């Protein structure tokens, strides 16, 4: 089932999400719904707070080669346990901040530990787009958006645009 994605500014995007204590079929179903929502958008990652669920769950699939096998990952309670001194810059976007893109500098490589959908611990080192995306998603669990890395002036401009966009969309929904 496809889920609606919250648009910034929204207090639910600023909250610290709670750890997932135990896996359940409901949570696995939520992860599947998030993957469906992400692929449909389309996006390469999605965090539970973006659909209004304040729990530490993210999904991602950063395989971008045309025709390559997809790699849907669901991570419960993901944690960065090591990051490289080397950084890389990516032009980031966010499904909660549509049509806005900006360069963000982050560690080029991160080692992430998480619980997989079977409740087993997993750990992997990511680089390239995967490293950027997994850090972007974990930020969402801590109430942080990529625009928080920009200057206050840029952030304010973007936030004002998003307030307008949300008003327009609300008006459209009312059929005006
Ligand atoms: O779809 C997305 N693309 C993206 C591009 C560069 C850096 C991060 C991302 S994540 C984003 C989807 C999203 O908003 N996830 O929270
Ligand atoms: Ni995002």
């Amino acid at each position: 089932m496809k889920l609606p994605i919250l648009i910034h500014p929204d207090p639910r995007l600023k909250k610290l999400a709670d750890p997932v204590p135990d896996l359940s079929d409901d949570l696995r179903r939520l992860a599947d719904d998030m993957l469906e929502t992400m692929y449909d958008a389309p996006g390469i990652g999605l965090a539970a707070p973006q659909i209004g669920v304040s729990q530490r769950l993210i999904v991602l699939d950063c395989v971008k080669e045309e025709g390559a096998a997809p790699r849907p990952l669901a991570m419960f309670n993901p944690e960065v346990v090591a990051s490289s001194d080397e950084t890389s810059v990516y032009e980031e976007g966010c499904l909660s901040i549509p049509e806005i893109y900006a360069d963000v500098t982050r560690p080029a490589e991160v080692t992430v530990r998480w619980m997989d959908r079977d409740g087993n611990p997993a750990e992997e080192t990511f680089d390239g787009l995967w490293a950027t995306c997994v850090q972007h998603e974990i930020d969402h669990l801590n109430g942080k958006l990529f625009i928080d890395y920009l200057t206050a002036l840029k952030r304010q401009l973007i936030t004002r645009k998003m307030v307008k966009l949300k008003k327009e969309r609300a008006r459209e929904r009312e059929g005006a």
Side-chain angles (χ1 to χ4, degrees):
M1 185 182 65
K2 233 192 89 188
L3 307 161
I5 297 173
L6 300 179
I7 304 299
H8 165 77
D10 189 302
R12 290 168 287 182
L13 292 171
K14 306 250 40 159
K15 280 175 57 180
L16 180 70
D18 296 319
V20 174
D22 278 302
L23 271 178
S24 61
D25 284 342
D26 278 352
L27 275 167
R28 275 184 278 267
R29 213 163 1 242
L30 180 64
D32 288 337
D33 287 344
M34 285 171 58
L35 280 164
E36 184 184 341
T37 303
M38 176 192 85
Y39 284 125
D40 182 79
I44 57 173
L46 190 69
Q50 293 181 276
I51 47 134
V53 174
S54 194
Q55 299 218 59
R56 304 190 79 80
L57 163 60
I58 63 173
V59 298
L60 64 164
D61 183 349
C62 305
V63 173
K64 53 183 178 186
E65 299 82 23
E66 199 59 38
R71 191 188 179 209
L73 273 180
M75 300 181 175
F76 298 86
N77 302 329
E79 264 184 89
V80 173
V81 295
S83 37
S84 63
D85 292 333
E86 191 200 333
T87 57
S88 67
V89 181
Y90 263 97
E91 187 176 56
E92 299 200 14
C94 182
L95 294 173
S96 295
I97 314 172
E99 285 158 52
I100 303 288
Y101 304 90
D103 282 351
V104 178
T105 304
R106 300 181 187 270
E109 276 191 21
V110 288
T111 303
V112 180
R113 203 174 282 163
W114 72 94
M115 181 168 67
D116 72 15
R117 56 185 305 129
D118 302 315
N120 296 318
E123 187 178 301
E124 188 171 329
T125 299
F126 296 98
D127 62 11
L129 186 58
W130 285 89
T132 289
C133 184
V134 75
Q135 291 175 81
H136 174 118
E137 301 315 331
I138 292 173
D139 272 354
H140 274 300
L141 304 181
N142 298 325
K144 188 158 185 171
L145 302 172
F146 83 90
I147 56 170
D148 293 326
Y149 295 95
L150 310 180
T151 63
L153 179 63
K154 281 187 187 162
R155 191 162 53 246
Q156 280 160 16
L157 284 169
I158 292 166
T159 300
R160 253 180 254 143
K161 259 191 202 171
M162 291 302 113
V163 169
K164 260 196 198 166
L165 178 78
K166 285 173 77 170
K167 281 187 185 149
E168 274 166 23
R169 288 190 177 180
R171 237 181 284 131
E172 279 166 16
R173 273 198 300 277
E174 283 156 20

